[in-house]
Amino acid sequence: MKTSRKEFIKSSLLAGTALSMNACNMGNSPSLPATESSIKPVVISTWRFGMEANEAAWKVLDSGGSALDAVEAGVKVPEADAKERSVGLGGRPDRDGIVSLDACIMDEMGNIGSVVCLENIKHAISVARAVMEKTPHVMLAGQGAYQFALSKGFQKENLLVEESKKEWEEWLLKSDYKPIANIENHDTIGMIAIDKKGNLSGACTTSGMAFKMRGRVGDSPIIGAGLYVDNEIGAATATGHGEEVIRITGSALVVELMRQGLSPDEACKEAVMRVVKLMERRKKNLKDIQVGFIALNKQGKHGAYCVQNGFNFALKTPERNELIDAPYFLKV
Ligand code: SD4
């Protein structure tokens, strides 16, 4: 049967209406009106040190600042803390005894910036933001990232603290490289936030796996793997074994799953199940790894899921301020 042009246009319009109604039902409509007063800010971040980081982010959010400024201010807290041994100053070194940092940042406009294998500058996240705002590029690596940071006024600093140096010297005796799930249970900080205007941004910063090969890069500075933000849908960030997160483009996947209508919890769980599937396919032991995702949707709902017990995340809203154990897959 031949469809007239008029009928075709009518049915297309109807289909379009059904699609957008469906999107509304799923809570994913980008066109939902959001007034400043109706939006409550939320910030979530990975691991226990997220509690303190959230406090710093909250000050920005509460005073009406942007999610971008909030996540940068938040993750700078553990970056500057020499006692936090997996981020910024005090981070654990690679197998050659050198602390090298990975970080990335993404805002509500889709602006991105990233640094990989950055040495001697503690605030890797601010260098990533400078890449985003002051260069035509999205990622700088190693010496180039370092030189760029110096040119923007960042100060050179020795990031290897005594305790990390001692640990590394002990590690050298055996030089057995086998990252253990949850042993460093205050790892990479990934933070995502929604501000009073309803805008989302995220930041992720780390010294990566302790005693990694020199030049190794994990998921944390890779947009789509360690972090992803889509201001129409939501944001996600990852922690754990970066190789497994990269394999499934983890954070972008979580956001895409939310776009399809999954809740943040469900989306994080489905992404973890992809990790599980690829581990099984490659006949790897799931007990040897940890991967955790946290996510926030445009409506300010949060979610999390991880491979095995031990991953927690910090949540701050106008009503709540707590550390929450993420649900997990491996029950043995
Ligand atoms: C990496 N994802 O370099 C980071 C490390 C991490 O929990 O988050 N560990 O692979």
Side-chain angles (χ1 to χ4, degrees):
M1 196 181 72
K2 219 173 152 200
T3 316
S4 74
R5 190 165 172 269
K6 212 167 157 190
E7 277 169 346
F8 174 77
I9 291 171
K10 200 171 140 198
S11 60
S12 305
L13 283 175
L14 279 173
T17 311
L19 267 178
S20 61
M21 278 175 66
N22 198 21
C24 282
N25 290 339
M26 296 191 303
N28 283 342
S29 171
S31 57
L32 278 181
T35 57
E36 194 155 326
S37 59
S38 70
I39 293 169
K40 292 180 178 176
V42 181
V43 57
I44 54 172
S45 56
T46 54
W47 304 107
R48 172 197 43 77
F49 57 13
M51 292 296 287
E52 228 185 306
N54 282 0
E55 289 295 336
W58 191 256
K59 281 196 189 124
V60 178
L61 294 172
D62 200 35
S63 60
S66 71
L68 179 66
D69 286 343
V71 293
E72 182 189 8
V75 304
K76 280 175 80 172
V77 173
E79 275 187 343
D81 188 343
K83 292 190 297 303
E84 298 298 359
R85 311 280 301 294
S86 52
V87 177
L89 176 66
R92 291 188 177 86
D94 63 20
R95 61 179 56 180
D96 294 352
I98 296 161
V99 180
S100 74
L101 307 179
D102 293 339
C104 73
I105 193 158
M106 184 163 190
D107 73 8
E108 78 277 8
M109 305 295 289
N111 292 309
I112 55 175
S114 157
V115 286
V116 302
C117 297
L118 175 70
E119 293 169 21
N120 295 312
I121 308 279
K122 70 179 170 217
H123 287 309
I125 199 64
S126 300
V127 184
R129 183 166 177 178
V131 171
M132 174 171 97
E133 291 176 343
K134 299 189 166 99
T135 81
H137 307 301
V138 299
M139 185 183 269
L140 290 179
Q143 268 299 309
Y146 174 63
Q147 293 301 338
F148 167 73
L150 292 182
S151 78
K152 294 295 167 205
F154 289 87
Q155 294 302 308
K156 178 179 181 179
E157 210 171 328
N158 175 21
L159 304 180
L160 185 64
V161 300
E162 244 348 276
E163 291 78 6
S164 292
K165 189 161 176 256
K166 258 191 235 144
E167 269 185 34
W168 169 63
E169 283 162 354
E170 277 163 29
W171 177 82
L172 277 179
L173 299 175
K174 282 195 184 156
S175 298
D176 182 19
Y177 181 68
K178 199 168 182 292
I180 303 164
N182 293 325
I183 289 297
E184 301 152 42
N185 72 347
H186 48 91
D187 255 324
T188 297
I189 184 153
M191 174 180 279
I192 45 187
I194 188 161
D195 61 29
K196 286 184 178 174
K197 290 197 169 110
N199 285 326
L200 288 153
S201 289
C204 188
T205 178
T206 188
S207 53
M209 291 293 185
F211 318 131
K212 61 195 176 185
M213 282 178 74
R214 183 141 175 75
R216 178 264 185 190
V217 176
D219 61 313
S220 306
I222 300 178
I223 294 292
L227 174 72
Y228 199 71
V229 177
D230 182 328
N231 204 41
E232 291 183 352
I233 304 299
T237 187
T239 184
H241 288 74
E243 285 74 5
E244 303 313 319
V245 178
I246 294 171
R247 216 180 298 285
I248 63 154
T249 53
S251 296
L253 174 62
V254 172
V255 172
E256 287 313 301
L257 290 164
M258 290 195 287
R259 192 192 309 279
Q260 288 169 27
L262 269 61
S263 69
D265 265 329
E266 292 164 346
C268 291
K269 183 171 182 183
E270 177 57 27
V272 165
M273 295 318 293
R274 303 273 176 102
V275 171
V276 170
K277 200 189 256 180
L278 290 190
M279 287 291 284
E280 282 169 356
R281 190 177 298 166
R282 289 156 48 243
K283 304 203 180 344
K284 303 280 184 191
N285 191 348
L286 210 51
K287 273 195 199 146
D288 292 340
I289 67 146
Q290 176 66 297
V291 167
F293 292 105
I294 58 174
L296 197 57
N297 70 11
K298 186 71 179 166
Q299 288 71 40
K301 295 226 156 36
H302 69 273
Y305 202 76
C306 63
V307 167
Q308 56 180 306
N309 194 14
F311 168 52
N312 47 28
F313 65 100
L315 166 75
K316 180 121 179 82
T317 74
E319 296 87 24
R320 297 170 70 180
N321 184 24
E322 54 197 282
L323 188 64
I324 301 171
D325 289 330
Y328 54 92
F329 171 74
L330 208 57
K331 294 294 181 314
V332 282

